[in-house]
Amino acid sequence: MVSPAIALAFIPFIITVIIRYRHYFLLFYRAVIVRRIQDYLTGIPREERAFQYVITHAIPGDPQHVLNTFDQYCYHCEYLSNIGPQKGKVLDRLIYENAPLNVLELGTQCGYATIIMAQALPLGARLYTVDYNPSKAAVAEKVIRLAGFDDDTVELLVGPSDDIIPQLKDKHGVQKLDFILMDHGKRCYLRDLQLLEEVGLLQEGSIILADNVLFPGAPHFLQYVKTSGKYQLKMHRGHLEYFRYIRDGIAELTYTKLQ
C-alpha cells in the first residue's frame, strides 16, 4: 500500500500535468464524454443532433448562415471536427484564388467544408465529396441541400475513398483534379495521395489541402511529401477547430511531377 508521504509527493506532479494538458482534457470531455452521454440520452447520433440544431436556427439557402450556425453549435453544444472558421478562411481563399473546375473532398462529415468550397467555386465547376459512413453522408446531404447546392454543383459519393478514387475517371468522367481537400482518416492521407498519383488524377499545379496534419497528425504523409520531390509544401499553422490553445496546421501541397 502506498504511504501517505509518497502519495503527497505526487500531488504537485499531477497538478502540473492537469494544468499543462487542460485543453486536451477539455477536448476529450467535449468530444468523447459529452457525445456518449448525449448518444445515450437522445438515441440519435451526434451528426443528426447537429443537423436538427442547424435546420432550426439557420436560414435555408444562405450558405454563410448555415456555417455560422454550425460554429455556434460546436462552440456551445457539442464538438464536431469540422475544418472550422479559422482554417476555413484558408480553404475559402485558395478556392477563390485558383478557381478549380474539378474538386475532390475526402471526408464529407457534416458538409461544413463542402459548403465553404461550393460557395466559392466558379461557374460550371463540380465538387465530388466522399464519405465512407452512410449515416454521416445522409446528414451531409441534407446540410448541403439546405445551404442551397444541388447535384449539379455537389455530388456526394458514399464508400471507402480507396474504392471511389479509382472509379472517378470511368464512372464519373473526371479526367484530372484541380483541387483536393483531405479531411478524412489521417492514416488514409498517404495511401490516398499515392492512389491519386497512381490513377493519374493529378496534373501539374493540382493543389492538395490536408487538414489536421499536426494534431492529431499525419507524420508519414508529411515525410513522403517532403522527400518525394513531387510537391511544393506550404504549412498554414493555426489551432484545432474550436480549441484555440491546441496547435494544429493545414498542409498545402502543389503537385509539380518532379522526382
Short mmCIF file of all heavy atoms in Angstrom, two decimals, residues 104-107 130 159-166 168 177 180-202 208 221 224 231:
data_model
loop_
_atom_site.label_atom_id
_atom_site.label_comp_id
_atom_site.label_asym_id
_atom_site.label_seq_id
_atom_site.Cartn_x
_atom_site.Cartn_y
_atom_site.Cartn_z
N LEU A 104 -12.22 17.53 -55.43
CA LEU A 104 -12.50 16.31 -54.69
C LEU A 104 -12.31 16.58 -53.20
O LEU A 104 -11.28 17.10 -52.78
CB LEU A 104 -11.57 15.18 -55.13
CG LEU A 104 -11.68 13.86 -54.34
CD1 LEU A 104 -13.04 13.20 -54.57
CD2 LEU A 104 -10.54 12.91 -54.74
N GLU A 105 -13.31 16.20 -52.41
CA GLU A 105 -13.20 16.28 -50.97
C GLU A 105 -13.26 14.87 -50.40
O GLU A 105 -14.19 14.11 -50.69
CB GLU A 105 -14.34 17.11 -50.37
CG GLU A 105 -14.30 17.17 -48.84
CD GLU A 105 -15.50 17.89 -48.24
OE1 GLU A 105 -16.55 17.98 -48.92
OE2 GLU A 105 -15.40 18.35 -47.08
N LEU A 106 -12.27 14.51 -49.60
CA LEU A 106 -12.24 13.21 -48.93
C LEU A 106 -12.57 13.44 -47.46
O LEU A 106 -11.78 14.02 -46.72
CB LEU A 106 -10.86 12.56 -49.10
CG LEU A 106 -10.43 12.30 -50.55
CD1 LEU A 106 -9.01 11.75 -50.59
CD2 LEU A 106 -11.40 11.38 -51.26
N GLY A 107 -13.75 12.99 -47.05
CA GLY A 107 -14.20 13.22 -45.69
C GLY A 107 -15.26 14.31 -45.62
O GLY A 107 -14.98 15.43 -45.21
N VAL A 130 -16.64 12.76 -50.72
CA VAL A 130 -16.66 11.33 -50.43
C VAL A 130 -16.68 11.10 -48.93
O VAL A 130 -15.89 11.69 -48.18
CB VAL A 130 -15.40 10.64 -51.03
CG1 VAL A 130 -15.40 9.15 -50.69
CG2 VAL A 130 -15.32 10.87 -52.52
N GLY A 159 -18.80 5.67 -49.72
CA GLY A 159 -17.97 4.48 -49.81
C GLY A 159 -16.56 4.79 -49.38
O GLY A 159 -16.18 5.96 -49.19
N PRO A 160 -15.71 3.76 -49.22
CA PRO A 160 -14.31 3.97 -48.86
C PRO A 160 -13.58 4.76 -49.95
O PRO A 160 -13.79 4.52 -51.15
CB PRO A 160 -13.75 2.55 -48.75
CG PRO A 160 -14.95 1.68 -48.55
CD PRO A 160 -16.07 2.33 -49.30
N SER A 161 -12.74 5.68 -49.54
CA SER A 161 -12.06 6.54 -50.51
C SER A 161 -11.18 5.75 -51.47
O SER A 161 -11.08 6.10 -52.65
CB SER A 161 -11.21 7.59 -49.78
OG SER A 161 -10.31 6.97 -48.86
N ASP A 162 -10.57 4.67 -50.99
CA ASP A 162 -9.70 3.90 -51.88
C ASP A 162 -10.49 3.05 -52.87
O ASP A 162 -9.91 2.51 -53.82
CB ASP A 162 -8.72 3.03 -51.08
CG ASP A 162 -9.42 2.09 -50.11
OD1 ASP A 162 -10.56 2.38 -49.71
OD2 ASP A 162 -8.83 1.06 -49.74
N ASP A 163 -11.80 2.93 -52.67
CA ASP A 163 -12.66 2.29 -53.68
C ASP A 163 -13.15 3.32 -54.70
O ASP A 163 -13.26 3.03 -55.90
CB ASP A 163 -13.87 1.64 -53.02
CG ASP A 163 -13.52 0.34 -52.30
OD1 ASP A 163 -12.42 -0.18 -52.54
OD2 ASP A 163 -14.36 -0.13 -51.50
N ILE A 164 -13.46 4.52 -54.22
CA ILE A 164 -14.07 5.53 -55.09
C ILE A 164 -13.05 6.24 -55.97
O ILE A 164 -13.34 6.54 -57.14
CB ILE A 164 -14.85 6.55 -54.23
CG1 ILE A 164 -16.10 5.86 -53.65
CG2 ILE A 164 -15.26 7.77 -55.04
CD1 ILE A 164 -16.94 6.71 -52.77
N ILE A 165 -11.87 6.52 -55.46
CA ILE A 165 -10.85 7.24 -56.25
C ILE A 165 -10.58 6.56 -57.59
O ILE A 165 -10.58 7.22 -58.64
CB ILE A 165 -9.55 7.43 -55.44
CG1 ILE A 165 -9.77 8.47 -54.34
CG2 ILE A 165 -8.40 7.86 -56.34
CD1 ILE A 165 -8.62 8.60 -53.35
N PRO A 166 -10.37 5.23 -57.65
CA PRO A 166 -10.12 4.59 -58.96
C PRO A 166 -11.33 4.63 -59.90
O PRO A 166 -11.18 4.40 -61.11
CB PRO A 166 -9.78 3.14 -58.58
CG PRO A 166 -9.35 3.19 -57.16
CD PRO A 166 -10.19 4.27 -56.55
N LEU A 168 -13.30 7.34 -60.33
CA LEU A 168 -13.66 8.71 -60.73
C LEU A 168 -13.55 8.92 -62.24
O LEU A 168 -14.37 9.63 -62.83
CB LEU A 168 -12.77 9.71 -59.99
CG LEU A 168 -13.09 9.90 -58.50
CD1 LEU A 168 -12.06 10.80 -57.84
CD2 LEU A 168 -14.49 10.47 -58.31
N LEU A 177 -7.96 16.32 -61.59
CA LEU A 177 -8.46 17.09 -60.46
C LEU A 177 -7.61 18.35 -60.28
O LEU A 177 -6.38 18.29 -60.34
CB LEU A 177 -8.43 16.26 -59.18
CG LEU A 177 -9.43 15.11 -59.11
CD1 LEU A 177 -9.08 14.16 -57.96
CD2 LEU A 177 -10.85 15.63 -58.95
N ILE A 180 -7.91 19.18 -54.25
CA ILE A 180 -8.33 18.08 -53.38
C ILE A 180 -8.23 18.54 -51.93
O ILE A 180 -7.21 19.11 -51.52
CB ILE A 180 -7.45 16.82 -53.56
CG1 ILE A 180 -7.51 16.31 -55.01
CG2 ILE A 180 -7.87 15.72 -52.60
CD1 ILE A 180 -6.32 16.69 -55.85
N LEU A 181 -9.28 18.29 -51.16
CA LEU A 181 -9.26 18.52 -49.72
C LEU A 181 -9.29 17.17 -49.03
O LEU A 181 -10.19 16.37 -49.24
CB LEU A 181 -10.45 19.36 -49.26
CG LEU A 181 -10.60 19.50 -47.74
CD1 LEU A 181 -9.42 20.26 -47.13
CD2 LEU A 181 -11.92 20.18 -47.38
N MET A 182 -8.28 16.93 -48.18
CA MET A 182 -8.23 15.71 -47.36
C MET A 182 -8.58 16.05 -45.93
O MET A 182 -7.88 16.82 -45.27
CB MET A 182 -6.84 15.08 -47.42
CG MET A 182 -6.45 14.51 -48.76
SD MET A 182 -4.85 13.68 -48.67
CE MET A 182 -4.83 12.85 -50.27
N ASP A 183 -9.68 15.49 -45.45
CA ASP A 183 -10.09 15.70 -44.07
C ASP A 183 -10.81 14.46 -43.56
O ASP A 183 -11.78 14.55 -42.82
CB ASP A 183 -11.00 16.94 -43.96
CG ASP A 183 -11.10 17.46 -42.54
OD1 ASP A 183 -10.33 16.98 -41.68
OD2 ASP A 183 -11.94 18.33 -42.27
N HIS A 184 -10.29 13.30 -43.98
CA HIS A 184 -10.86 12.03 -43.53
C HIS A 184 -9.89 11.38 -42.54
O HIS A 184 -9.24 12.10 -41.78
CB HIS A 184 -11.19 11.13 -44.73
CG HIS A 184 -10.07 10.86 -45.67
ND1 HIS A 184 -9.07 11.79 -45.97
CD2 HIS A 184 -9.75 9.75 -46.41
CE1 HIS A 184 -8.21 11.27 -46.82
NE2 HIS A 184 -8.60 10.04 -47.10
N GLY A 185 -9.78 10.07 -42.50
CA GLY A 185 -8.87 9.41 -41.59
C GLY A 185 -7.43 9.77 -41.89
O GLY A 185 -6.97 9.63 -43.03
N LYS A 186 -6.70 10.25 -40.89
CA LYS A 186 -5.34 10.73 -41.11
C LYS A 186 -4.42 9.62 -41.61
O LYS A 186 -3.48 9.88 -42.36
CB LYS A 186 -4.76 11.37 -39.84
CG LYS A 186 -5.71 12.36 -39.15
CD LYS A 186 -6.38 13.33 -40.11
CE LYS A 186 -7.57 14.00 -39.45
NZ LYS A 186 -8.48 14.65 -40.42
N ARG A 187 -4.69 8.38 -41.19
CA ARG A 187 -3.88 7.25 -41.66
C ARG A 187 -4.13 6.95 -43.14
O ARG A 187 -3.37 6.19 -43.75
CB ARG A 187 -4.17 6.01 -40.82
CG ARG A 187 -3.61 6.09 -39.40
CD ARG A 187 -3.94 4.87 -38.59
NE ARG A 187 -5.36 4.74 -38.34
CZ ARG A 187 -5.91 3.76 -37.64
NH1 ARG A 187 -5.16 2.79 -37.14
NH2 ARG A 187 -7.23 3.72 -37.45
N CYS A 188 -5.18 7.52 -43.70
CA CYS A 188 -5.50 7.31 -45.12
C CYS A 188 -4.85 8.36 -46.02
O CYS A 188 -4.89 8.21 -47.26
CB CYS A 188 -7.01 7.32 -45.33
SG CYS A 188 -7.91 6.05 -44.41
N TYR A 189 -4.32 9.42 -45.46
CA TYR A 189 -3.79 10.52 -46.27
C TYR A 189 -2.73 10.03 -47.26
O TYR A 189 -2.81 10.31 -48.46
CB TYR A 189 -3.19 11.60 -45.38
CG TYR A 189 -4.17 12.56 -44.74
CD1 TYR A 189 -5.53 12.29 -44.69
CD2 TYR A 189 -3.74 13.75 -44.16
CE1 TYR A 189 -6.43 13.16 -44.10
CE2 TYR A 189 -4.63 14.63 -43.57
CZ TYR A 189 -5.97 14.34 -43.54
OH TYR A 189 -6.85 15.20 -42.94
N LEU A 190 -1.72 9.35 -46.76
CA LEU A 190 -0.62 8.90 -47.63
C LEU A 190 -1.11 7.90 -48.65
O LEU A 190 -0.79 8.01 -49.84
CB LEU A 190 0.50 8.31 -46.78
CG LEU A 190 1.69 7.75 -47.57
CD1 LEU A 190 2.30 8.81 -48.49
CD2 LEU A 190 2.75 7.20 -46.61
N ARG A 191 -1.89 6.93 -48.21
CA ARG A 191 -2.42 5.91 -49.13
C ARG A 191 -3.21 6.55 -50.26
O ARG A 191 -3.01 6.22 -51.44
CB ARG A 191 -3.32 4.94 -48.36
CG ARG A 191 -3.96 3.85 -49.21
CD ARG A 191 -5.20 3.28 -48.52
NE ARG A 191 -6.30 4.25 -48.49
CZ ARG A 191 -7.39 4.07 -47.76
NH1 ARG A 191 -7.52 3.01 -46.99
NH2 ARG A 191 -8.36 4.98 -47.79
N ASP A 192 -4.07 7.51 -49.93
CA ASP A 192 -4.94 8.10 -50.96
C ASP A 192 -4.17 9.07 -51.85
O ASP A 192 -4.49 9.21 -53.03
CB ASP A 192 -6.13 8.79 -50.30
CG ASP A 192 -7.13 7.78 -49.75
OD1 ASP A 192 -7.03 6.59 -50.09
OD2 ASP A 192 -8.02 8.19 -48.97
N LEU A 193 -3.17 9.75 -51.30
CA LEU A 193 -2.34 10.62 -52.14
C LEU A 193 -1.60 9.79 -53.18
O LEU A 193 -1.57 10.14 -54.38
CB LEU A 193 -1.34 11.39 -51.27
CG LEU A 193 -0.42 12.36 -52.03
CD1 LEU A 193 -1.23 13.50 -52.64
CD2 LEU A 193 0.66 12.91 -51.10
N GLN A 194 -1.03 8.68 -52.77
CA GLN A 194 -0.31 7.81 -53.72
C GLN A 194 -1.28 7.17 -54.71
O GLN A 194 -0.92 6.96 -55.88
CB GLN A 194 0.46 6.74 -52.94
CG GLN A 194 1.61 7.32 -52.12
CD GLN A 194 2.30 6.29 -51.26
OE1 GLN A 194 1.67 5.33 -50.78
NE2 GLN A 194 3.59 6.46 -51.04
N LEU A 195 -2.50 6.91 -54.28
CA LEU A 195 -3.50 6.36 -55.18
C LEU A 195 -3.91 7.39 -56.23
O LEU A 195 -4.08 7.05 -57.42
CB LEU A 195 -4.72 5.90 -54.38
CG LEU A 195 -5.84 5.18 -55.15
CD1 LEU A 195 -5.30 3.96 -55.88
CD2 LEU A 195 -6.96 4.79 -54.19
N LEU A 196 -4.05 8.64 -55.83
CA LEU A 196 -4.35 9.71 -56.79
C LEU A 196 -3.24 9.83 -57.83
O LEU A 196 -3.51 10.06 -59.02
CB LEU A 196 -4.53 11.04 -56.05
CG LEU A 196 -5.81 11.20 -55.24
CD1 LEU A 196 -5.68 12.38 -54.27
CD2 LEU A 196 -7.02 11.40 -56.14
N GLU A 197 -1.99 9.68 -57.41
CA GLU A 197 -0.86 9.69 -58.35
C GLU A 197 -0.96 8.49 -59.30
O GLU A 197 -0.79 8.63 -60.52
CB GLU A 197 0.46 9.61 -57.58
CG GLU A 197 0.76 10.79 -56.68
CD GLU A 197 1.99 10.56 -55.82
OE1 GLU A 197 2.61 9.47 -55.93
OE2 GLU A 197 2.33 11.45 -55.05
N GLU A 198 -1.21 7.33 -58.73
CA GLU A 198 -1.21 6.08 -59.49
C GLU A 198 -2.25 6.06 -60.59
O GLU A 198 -1.98 5.59 -61.72
CB GLU A 198 -1.43 4.92 -58.52
CG GLU A 198 -1.42 3.55 -59.17
CD GLU A 198 -1.73 2.45 -58.16
OE1 GLU A 198 -1.32 2.58 -56.99
OE2 GLU A 198 -2.40 1.47 -58.55
N VAL A 199 -3.46 6.57 -60.30
CA VAL A 199 -4.53 6.51 -61.29
C VAL A 199 -4.50 7.72 -62.24
O VAL A 199 -5.34 7.83 -63.13
CB VAL A 199 -5.92 6.42 -60.62
CG1 VAL A 199 -6.01 5.14 -59.79
CG2 VAL A 199 -6.22 7.64 -59.77
N GLY A 200 -3.56 8.63 -62.04
CA GLY A 200 -3.37 9.73 -62.98
C GLY A 200 -4.36 10.86 -62.86
O GLY A 200 -4.64 11.55 -63.85
N LEU A 201 -4.87 11.10 -61.64
CA LEU A 201 -5.84 12.18 -61.47
C LEU A 201 -5.19 13.52 -61.14
O LEU A 201 -5.86 14.56 -61.20
CB LEU A 201 -6.84 11.81 -60.35
CG LEU A 201 -7.92 10.81 -60.75
CD1 LEU A 201 -8.64 10.28 -59.52
CD2 LEU A 201 -8.91 11.43 -61.72
N LEU A 202 -3.90 13.50 -60.83
CA LEU A 202 -3.21 14.75 -60.54
C LEU A 202 -2.55 15.28 -61.81
O LEU A 202 -2.08 14.53 -62.65
CB LEU A 202 -2.14 14.53 -59.47
CG LEU A 202 -2.63 14.05 -58.10
CD1 LEU A 202 -1.45 13.90 -57.15
CD2 LEU A 202 -3.68 14.99 -57.53
N ILE A 208 -3.41 20.12 -53.22
CA ILE A 208 -3.96 19.22 -52.21
C ILE A 208 -3.86 19.93 -50.87
O ILE A 208 -2.78 20.38 -50.47
CB ILE A 208 -3.20 17.88 -52.15
CG1 ILE A 208 -3.23 17.18 -53.51
CG2 ILE A 208 -3.79 16.98 -51.07
CD1 ILE A 208 -1.99 17.39 -54.35
N PHE A 221 2.61 10.87 -43.93
CA PHE A 221 2.15 11.67 -45.07
C PHE A 221 3.10 12.84 -45.30
O PHE A 221 3.56 13.08 -46.42
CB PHE A 221 0.73 12.15 -44.80
CG PHE A 221 0.21 13.19 -45.76
CD1 PHE A 221 -0.27 12.83 -47.00
CD2 PHE A 221 0.19 14.54 -45.41
CE1 PHE A 221 -0.77 13.79 -47.88
CE2 PHE A 221 -0.30 15.49 -46.27
CZ PHE A 221 -0.78 15.12 -47.51
N TYR A 224 6.55 11.77 -46.60
CA TYR A 224 6.51 11.44 -48.03
C TYR A 224 6.49 12.70 -48.88
O TYR A 224 7.21 12.81 -49.89
CB TYR A 224 5.29 10.57 -48.33
CG TYR A 224 5.09 10.30 -49.81
CD1 TYR A 224 5.87 9.35 -50.47
CD2 TYR A 224 4.14 11.01 -50.54
CE1 TYR A 224 5.69 9.11 -51.83
CE2 TYR A 224 3.96 10.78 -51.90
CZ TYR A 224 4.75 9.83 -52.54
OH TYR A 224 4.59 9.60 -53.88
N TYR A 231 6.20 17.51 -54.79
CA TYR A 231 5.31 18.54 -54.25
C TYR A 231 6.07 19.73 -53.69
O TYR A 231 7.17 19.59 -53.15
CB TYR A 231 4.43 17.95 -53.13
CG TYR A 231 3.58 16.80 -53.57
CD1 TYR A 231 4.03 15.49 -53.44
CD2 TYR A 231 2.32 17.01 -54.13
CE1 TYR A 231 3.25 14.42 -53.86
CE2 TYR A 231 1.54 15.95 -54.56
CZ TYR A 231 2.01 14.66 -54.42
OH TYR A 231 1.24 13.61 -54.85
#
